[in-house]
């Protein structure tokens, strides 16, 4: 009997001849994501009895594994062991979240030292000497630490750790397969605790409780009765990477945290026989004698995180590399960490509330407030639309559209694909620092993987001709000569009011461009909101040689020599395409050595930043993105693909009708701008 992964609409990739995989565990039947990953990996799941050429799948060493093992032995077919990958989800599987990857092993269970697994075979025999592979491993290790990623990433990474100088003892759940396979029990954990105290006399001991124990799913080996004046039971969801920083020693039986501690620079003391023991990176109380190879951290990571797992991309419904899994979990973890406590929101127009709820209200719904602003009761936080900051309480985070917004105008009520939420200021207001400024300063130095990601993003954006609004249009025939593109702006826009001094109108901008370039061809591109009659900023453009109404600005950039702007985002988009940019205001991209600045740029912008660093800060670090297809928080690359491929849902009928009414009554915009 065969069954399909009904929730998934796309055909599975993989070998033409699929291997029949017979299962006798209910989890294979009830978890669509599990079935889908196996299908994409080339396995055709079945019920019944296997025959020649078939295999039996079991879930690790679960209590139901004996069913499949018995059938496999009787039918003389191989066994495939399946487990969750090292980066699973925000919360434990028992909470109902699907996994981001699987460990599919044809030799044995990776956690069971009784016999070698596919992972152990990789660690023993694979050369693990490819430079590109090891560079990927080093980048992966850095990303785990940077984004505080572990198997279950649903914790607040800002939760403070204990004061440094402690010994970290890692608890595990009772009945955990890796604990049982290592022959460990509570007695072994108590022995480990004694060693931790004896080997670090006088040091405090912190016992880290397992997340499943904290959430009430399974009991651990330690409890309150094991704590005393020297020993503390830590149940707070502190990031493992933060804990490693303050630890003087790490003790574990077989926990994945021991594996991660290696990449944090520790040499953990191991009282079990996990897969990561025996390679010279741990101190082993019970060594596995057949493991004699000495490996580096990068080699261990490459085998265990890159070569061994089967990773899944939920946005594209396909298998993927580790890097995609890392960005997926980092993105989803960021959204959960920022939103789980809940938001109170002020200054939000009615039509914006649904998109805001989709962005920021998934774990805990947003409460939209009006009237006298008041600081919400902790742990909830306050947000306010940036241009209406006076409507919110002191300390409210400011929300604005991101730089890859939509296919269509916000003024036409097209919902955004990206939003920013700034805890310091807002990117368009140079009168004070913003979180974007801090990100730009930080990205003055990029790791090789960050450099490559930003470069790939630039190529994808420019190759597809993408911009903030992605409006259709073409580049007309242009006069010969040195062409300067002058983008018009909405003159009552907050970026003009806060980010310019002497030049604050489109007419003044054109005049300045003409005065400095008397012989150039001045091309004026009105702002689309102004062209649509929705915002102010119309001008006769007397200093322009040509007015480019309804032209595609991305197409124009390929035919101009420079862009003169006050604070327009088109200046940033021109930088991506190698065009000289002259600023007469102080947009976020000015002052970093990439533009010719005639405006009053804040002196605090002193870092010299590459284009890749600016792009990484502005398009990867700063905004939040939401995939309109899956509804999930997503990395920027997914939004780029959706915009490039046109896979965007149409706005609802109500939204389209409201947009048409707005256009018809543009002169009465004060009625809806509230």
């Amino acid at each position: 009997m065969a069954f399909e992964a009904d929730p998934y609409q796309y055909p599975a990739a993989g070998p033409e001849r699929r291997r029949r995989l017979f299962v006798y565990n209910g989890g294979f039947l009830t978890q669509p994501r599990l079935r889908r990953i196996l299908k994409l990996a080339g396995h055709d799941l079945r019920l019944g009895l296997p025959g020649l050429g078939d295999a039996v799948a079991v879930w690790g060493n679960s209590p139901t594994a004996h069913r499949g093992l018995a059938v496999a032995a009787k039918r003389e077919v191989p066994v495939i062991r399946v487990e969750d990958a090292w980066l699973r989800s925000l919360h434990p599987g028992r909470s109902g979240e699907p996994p981001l990857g699987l460990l599919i092993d044809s030799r044995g269970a990776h956690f069971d030292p009784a016999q070698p697994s596919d992972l152990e075979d990789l660690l023993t025999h694979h050369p693990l000497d490819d430079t590109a592979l090891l560079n990927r491993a080093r980048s992966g290790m850095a990303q785990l630490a940077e984004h505080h990623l572990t198997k279950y990433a649903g914790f607040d990474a800002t939760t403070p750790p204990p004061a440094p100088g402690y010994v970290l003892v890692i608890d595990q759940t009772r009945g955990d397969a890796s604990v049982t396979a290592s022959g460990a029990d509570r007695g072994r954990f108590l022995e480990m605790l004694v060693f931790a105290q004896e080997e670090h006399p006088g040091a405090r001991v912190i016992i880290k409780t397992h997340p499943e124990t904290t959430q009430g799913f399974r009991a651990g080996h330690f409890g309150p009765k094991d704590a005393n004046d020297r020993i503390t039971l830590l149940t707070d969801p502190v990031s493992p990477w933060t804990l490693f920083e303050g630890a003087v020693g790490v003790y574990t039986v077989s926990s994945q945290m021991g594996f991660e501690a290696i990449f944090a620079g520790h040499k953990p003391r191991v009282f079990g026989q996990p897969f990561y023991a025996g390679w010279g990176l741990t101190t082993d109380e019970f060594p596995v004698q057949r493991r004699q190879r000495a490996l580096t951290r990068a080699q261990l990571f490459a085998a265990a995180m890159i070569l061994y797992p089967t990773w899944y991309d939920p946005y594209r419904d396909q298998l993927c590399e580790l890097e995609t899994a890392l960005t997926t979990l980092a993105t989803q973890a960021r959204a959960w960490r920022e939103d789980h406590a809940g938001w109170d929101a002020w200054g939000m127009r009615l039509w914006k509330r649904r998109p805001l709820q989709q962005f920021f209200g998934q774990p805990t719904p947003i409460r939209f407030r009006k009237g006298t602003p008041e600081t919400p009761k902790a742990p909830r936080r306050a947000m306010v639309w940036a241009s209406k900051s006076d409507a919110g309480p002191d300390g409210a985070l400011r929300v604005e559209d991101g730089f890859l917004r939509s296919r269509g105008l916000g003024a036409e009520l097209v919902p955004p694909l990206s939003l920013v939420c700034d805890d310091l200021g807002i990117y368009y207001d140079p009168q004070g620092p913003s979180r974007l400024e801090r990100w730009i300063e930080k990205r003055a130095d990029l790791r090789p993987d960050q450099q490559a990601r930003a470069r790939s993003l630039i190529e994808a954006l420019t190759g597809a001709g993408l911009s903030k609004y992605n409006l259709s249009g073409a580049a007309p025939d242009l006069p010969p000569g040195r062409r300067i593109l002058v983008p018009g702006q909405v003159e009552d826009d907050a970026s003009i009011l806060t980010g310019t001094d002497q030049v604050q109108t489109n007419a003044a901008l054109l005049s300045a461009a003409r005065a400095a370039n008397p012989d150039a061809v001045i091309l004026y591109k009105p702002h689309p909101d102004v062209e649509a009659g929705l915002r102010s900023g119309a001008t006769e453009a007397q200093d322009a040689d040509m007015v480019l109404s309804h032209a595609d600005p991305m197409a124009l950039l390929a035919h101009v020599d420079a862009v003169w702007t006050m604070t327009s985002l088109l200046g940033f988009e021109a930088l991506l395409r190698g065009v000289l940019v002259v600023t007469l205001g102080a947009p976020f991209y000015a002052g970093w050595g990439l533009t010719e600045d005639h405006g009053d740029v804040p002196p605090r912008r002193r870092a010299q930043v590459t284009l890749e660093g600016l792009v990484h800060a502005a398009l990867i670090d700063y905004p939040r993105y939401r995939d309109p297809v899956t509804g999930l928080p997503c990395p920027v690359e997914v939004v780029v693909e959706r915009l490039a491929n046109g896979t965007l849902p149409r706005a609802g009928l109500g939204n389209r009708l409201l947009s048409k009414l707005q256009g018809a009554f543009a002169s009465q915009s004060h009625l809806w701008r509230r």
Side-chain angles (χ1 to χ4, degrees):
M1 173 182 169
F3 51 87
E4 300 294 325
D6 296 332
Y8 299 96
Q9 57 184 331
Y10 307 107
E16 277 187 31
R17 182 174 176 81
R18 314 183 66 77
R19 185 175 198 181
R20 300 198 308 174
L21 202 58
F22 287 79
V23 297
Y24 309 94
N25 178 302
F28 289 104
L29 307 177
T30 60
Q31 299 184 45
R33 176 71 63 78
L34 172 59
R35 303 201 304 269
R36 182 58 172 171
I37 296 174
L38 288 169
K39 188 172 185 178
L40 289 165
H43 299 288
D44 186 7
L45 295 191
R46 299 281 181 134
L47 298 175
L49 294 175
L52 184 65
D54 299 330
V56 169
V58 300
W59 188 263
N61 280 349
S62 69
T64 60
H66 66 91
R67 304 172 189 163
L69 296 174
V71 172
K74 186 174 182 179
R75 305 288 291 188
E76 298 183 338
V77 298
V79 174
I80 304 293
R81 294 189 185 264
V82 184
E83 274 274 359
D84 289 325
W86 318 119
L87 300 174
R88 189 196 184 281
S89 51
L90 293 176
H91 306 290
R94 287 174 174 81
S95 68
E97 282 190 61
L100 276 177
L102 296 174
L103 308 177
I104 305 171
D105 203 304
S106 62
R107 287 182 173 87
H110 68 85
F111 52 77
D112 190 349
Q115 64 184 42
S117 62
D118 287 342
L119 175 55
E120 186 173 323
D121 186 69
L122 283 169
L123 292 167
T124 303
H125 300 296
H126 195 287
L128 298 173
D129 59 358
D130 180 74
T131 300
L133 176 66
L134 297 179
N135 285 339
R136 290 176 63 195
R138 296 182 186 99
S139 296
M141 288 187 283
Q143 289 180 67
L144 289 181
E146 179 184 21
H147 301 294
H148 294 266
L149 301 181
T150 184
K151 189 171 185 175
Y152 309 122
F155 53 82
D156 186 350
T158 64
T159 301
Y166 50 82
V167 181
L168 181 62
V169 175
I170 304 168
D171 195 10
Q172 294 174 251
T173 58
R174 295 182 186 179
D176 181 88
S178 72
V179 174
T180 303
S182 291
D185 54 14
R186 173 166 160 81
R188 182 78 60 84
F189 279 81
L190 291 174
E191 178 188 11
M192 175 174 65
L193 183 59
V194 171
F195 270 80
Q197 296 174 80
E198 291 181 347
E199 294 174 350
H200 297 272
R204 293 171 295 123
V205 177
I206 302 294
I207 298 175
K208 176 66 177 72
T209 302
H210 193 278
E212 290 193 359
T213 303
T214 304
Q215 297 181 35
F217 293 121
R218 291 196 290 178
H221 293 88
F222 295 114
K225 62 180 180 293
D226 298 301
N228 54 39
D229 291 343
R230 185 180 175 188
I231 302 172
T232 302
L233 198 67
L234 180 64
T235 58
D236 294 338
V238 179
S239 167
W241 301 96
T242 305
L243 282 175
F244 295 146
E245 290 178 5
V248 297
V250 176
Y251 288 71
T252 183
V253 171
S254 57
S255 170
Q256 183 178 317
M257 274 189 70
F259 174 57
E260 294 161 346
I262 295 171
F263 308 125
H266 288 278
K267 189 174 185 178
R269 189 84 151 82
V270 178
F271 286 75
Q273 295 177 315
F275 71 90
Y276 54 85
W279 312 108
L281 298 168
T282 54
T283 301
D284 303 324
E285 188 69 14
F286 303 96
V288 180
Q289 294 303 321
R290 64 177 180 270
R291 300 177 186 172
Q292 297 293 324
R293 187 181 184 187
L295 298 173
T296 66
R297 293 185 177 94
Q299 288 175 315
L300 175 64
F301 188 97
M305 295 292 290
I306 297 175
L307 300 178
Y308 181 53
T310 301
W311 297 109
Y312 175 75
D313 181 347
Y315 309 107
R316 303 168 182 88
D317 185 31
Q318 63 187 26
L319 301 184
C320 64
E321 300 290 344
L322 168 67
E323 290 80 359
T324 300
L326 283 169
T327 57
T328 296
L329 187 58
T331 298
Q332 296 182 4
R334 174 188 175 183
W336 185 90
R337 291 166 184 172
E338 292 179 358
D339 301 339
H340 75 280
W343 294 96
D344 284 10
W346 279 263
M348 307 300 181
R349 297 172 190 160
L350 291 176
W351 78 270
K352 292 180 178 179
R353 295 185 180 185
R354 184 169 183 268
L356 285 164
Q357 198 72 260
Q358 293 171 332
F359 266 86
F360 302 110
Q362 292 305 303
T364 305
I366 298 174
R367 297 190 306 205
F368 293 101
R369 309 287 298 275
K370 59 182 180 179
T372 303
E374 58 185 31
T375 303
K377 187 177 180 180
R380 295 185 71 90
R381 296 191 294 170
M383 63 167 56
V384 63
W385 195 259
S387 61
K388 296 180 177 291
S389 57
D390 291 343
D394 292 340
L397 279 69
R398 300 183 185 186
V399 179
E400 249 294 350
D401 290 328
F403 307 129
L404 278 175
R405 189 195 181 280
S406 52
R407 189 172 292 283
L409 300 174
E412 294 180 340
L413 311 189
V414 177
L417 299 173
S418 67
L419 291 169
V420 303
C421 194
D422 200 309
D423 61 328
L424 297 178
I426 194 63
Y427 69 86
Y428 58 72
D429 186 356
Q431 298 175 19
S434 69
R435 180 56 59 183
L436 177 55
E437 279 190 4
R438 298 289 174 84
W439 276 118
I440 295 171
E441 292 169 356
K442 184 176 181 179
R443 297 312 183 195
D445 294 310
L446 295 177
R447 299 192 308 266
D449 63 292
Q450 295 170 325
Q451 182 89 8
R453 185 182 180 191
R455 174 48 52 188
S456 294
L457 180 57
I458 293 170
E459 293 172 354
L461 291 169
T462 56
L466 298 181
S467 63
K468 183 174 182 177
Y469 297 115
N470 301 288
L471 304 173
S472 59
D477 292 333
L478 301 175
R482 180 172 176 268
R483 305 184 185 109
I484 294 177
L485 178 63
V486 178
Q489 293 185 244
V490 176
E491 292 180 353
D492 62 355
D493 189 78
S495 72
I496 299 294
L497 301 179
T498 62
T500 60
D501 44 19
Q502 297 182 3
V503 177
Q504 294 184 318
T505 67
N506 292 318
L509 173 63
L510 282 165
S511 178
R514 172 59 72 197
N517 303 274
D519 299 324
V521 178
I522 304 296
L523 307 172
Y524 179 64
K525 172 69 179 72
H527 192 279
D529 282 356
V530 177
E531 289 183 307
L534 302 173
R535 303 288 297 275
S536 65
T539 179
E540 295 183 2
Q542 295 178 350
D543 287 298
D545 295 293
M546 190 173 184
V547 177
L548 304 171
S549 299
H550 303 289
D552 181 4
M554 299 305 104
L556 293 172
L557 289 175
H559 304 284
V560 301
D561 300 283
V563 169
W564 276 59
T565 182
M566 291 180 284
T567 61
S568 172
L569 186 64
L570 189 64
F572 175 66
E573 294 162 338
L575 289 177
L576 303 188
R577 292 155 177 84
V579 179
L580 171 67
V581 177
V582 179
T583 66
L584 279 76
F588 71 87
Y589 51 85
W592 310 106
L594 300 171
T595 53
E596 182 180 315
D597 301 320
H598 295 186
D600 188 15
V601 177
R604 63 179 178 270
R605 299 183 185 177
R606 297 176 179 175
Q608 294 295 296
V609 182
T610 65
L611 178 61
E612 288 81 5
L614 179 68
V615 167
H616 202 291
L619 297 180
I620 297 174
D621 299 311
Y622 188 49
R624 292 259 301 267
Y625 299 91
R626 177 181 178 272
D627 178 19
V629 176
T630 64
L632 296 171
C634 69
V636 60
E637 290 84 0
V638 174
V639 164
V640 169
E641 288 185 22
R642 302 298 192 214
L643 288 168
N645 300 332
T647 51
L648 299 174
R650 281 191 76 194
L653 177 61
N655 197 72
R656 297 199 301 272
L657 289 174
L658 184 59
S659 175
K660 290 183 179 296
L661 286 172
Q662 175 176 283
F665 295 98
S667 64
Q668 305 298 317
S669 62
H670 63 280
L671 296 176
W672 62 80
R673 294 190 179 279
R674 60 182 183 178

